[in-house]
Amino acid sequence: MKGASAVIVAAGKGERLGSAKQYLPLGGIPILQWSVRTFAGHPGVGEIVVVLPAEQVAEPPDWLTASSVRCCPGGKTRRESAGAGVLAADPGAEFILIHDAARPFVSSAVIDRVLAGASRSGAALPVLPVVDTIKRTEGGLVVDTVARSGLGRAQTPQAFEARLIRGLHARASETGSIASDDAALCEEAGQAVTVVEGDPWNLKITTRADLDLANWLVESGRLRAPLSGNVAGGPV
Ligand code: CTP
Ligand code: MG
């Protein structure tokens, strides 16, 4: 297979929101379907692997099977789920994009930017500047103000040369790394990660307030669900 495999991790429990969020409706379709459609419509993406809770893999929802997506079971941590997706991806893929289903508003432009970054250095992620003053706190009291310069907020999708990220996840499963994103595996290994411009609309749904904001952005017409795309090359 030419091009990139997209791995969408959707095996979390949504504890901070109070329920698993991947199937919650947003603008008439499930949250997970937003990013599936965006990756399916991107010309550089040759296949999509969706990582689901193990008990849901045998019977994925119709719209997932209909859009030529392959499903595989996730693990207890995000790292394990991403590792499972990377293992399930086509061995012939040149690049692997790893994306959180919790970010439904991923755009084609961000996918372009991380793929361009990964082809320069082997790995890339979108970053937004930190705009708030950051405090370190302990027991309800401020301990310190953290210098803001040089801090950034990491987003997904993150893009990697396939060989590189396969090796890093294989090692992480041996060491039991609990890295909270995939770029962190590169950092631990001393592998350069290129920073590309993040997208302020590519928000992550973590809490009820995030979900309310996402719903409001859609209901107000500011953001629209992507049309269903076809994965280049047909069903996998
Ligand atoms: N994820 C996963 N497997 C896990 C944990 C997380 O595939 N064992 C996925 C989630 O489905 C989500 C992404 O990783 O798309 C980012 O994780 P997060 O926002 O933390 O989602 P949850 O783990 O579901 O939420 P919470 O931490 O509140 O339980
Ligand atoms: Mg989590």
Side-chain angles (χ1 to χ4, degrees), residues 126-130 151-155 196-201:
V127 172
L128 284 178
V130 170
L151 291 185
R153 292 189 286 145
Q155 298 188 324
V196 304
E197 188 190 345
D199 177 354
W201 299 108

Side-chain angles (χ1 to χ4, degrees), residues 136-213:
R136 199 186 309 280
T137 66
E138 221 175 83
L141 292 172
V142 172
V143 176
D144 195 10
T145 300
V146 181
R148 192 170 56 202
S149 78
L151 291 185
R153 292 189 286 145
Q155 298 188 324
T156 69
Q158 299 182 355
F160 307 90
E161 275 175 6
R163 206 161 44 104
L164 168 72
I165 198 67
R166 264 194 218 102
L168 292 173
H169 270 292
R171 203 168 85 183
S173 57
E174 281 164 22
T175 60
S177 163
I178 48 157
S180 62
D181 72 355
D182 304 278
L185 300 179
C186 293
E187 296 150 32
E188 286 165 12
Q191 158 71 42
V193 182
T194 294
V195 171
V196 304
E197 188 190 345
D199 177 354
W201 299 108
N202 184 20
L203 61 91
K204 177 161 170 282
I205 300 176
T206 306
T207 62
R208 174 61 53 178
D210 298 327
L211 181 63
D212 288 349
L213 177 60

Side-chain angles (χ1 to χ4, degrees), residues 39-127:
F39 283 100
H42 191 284
V45 173
E47 68 161 355
I48 299 174
V49 175
V50 172
V51 186
L52 290 175
E55 63 280 8
Q56 290 171 20
V57 175
E59 281 184 85
D62 286 351
W63 54 264
L64 260 184
T65 47
S67 43
S68 313
V69 172
R70 222 142 35 96
C71 298
C72 79
K76 281 196 287 296
T77 64
R78 185 197 177 284
R79 209 295 305 156
E80 287 177 29
S81 295
V86 164
L87 259 188
D90 188 319
E94 211 177 331
F95 292 97
I96 297 184
L97 291 150
I98 306 178
H99 182 65
D100 289 343
R103 292 187 189 269
F105 303 136
V106 53
S107 67
S108 236
V110 171
I111 298 172
D112 287 342
R113 292 203 283 274
V114 290
L115 283 175
S119 53
R120 288 198 295 275
S121 68
L125 88 168
V127 172

Side-chain angles (χ1 to χ4, degrees), residues 12-13 16 21 78:
K13 290 195 163 69
R16 285 168 287 182
K21 51 206 173 197
R78 185 197 177 284

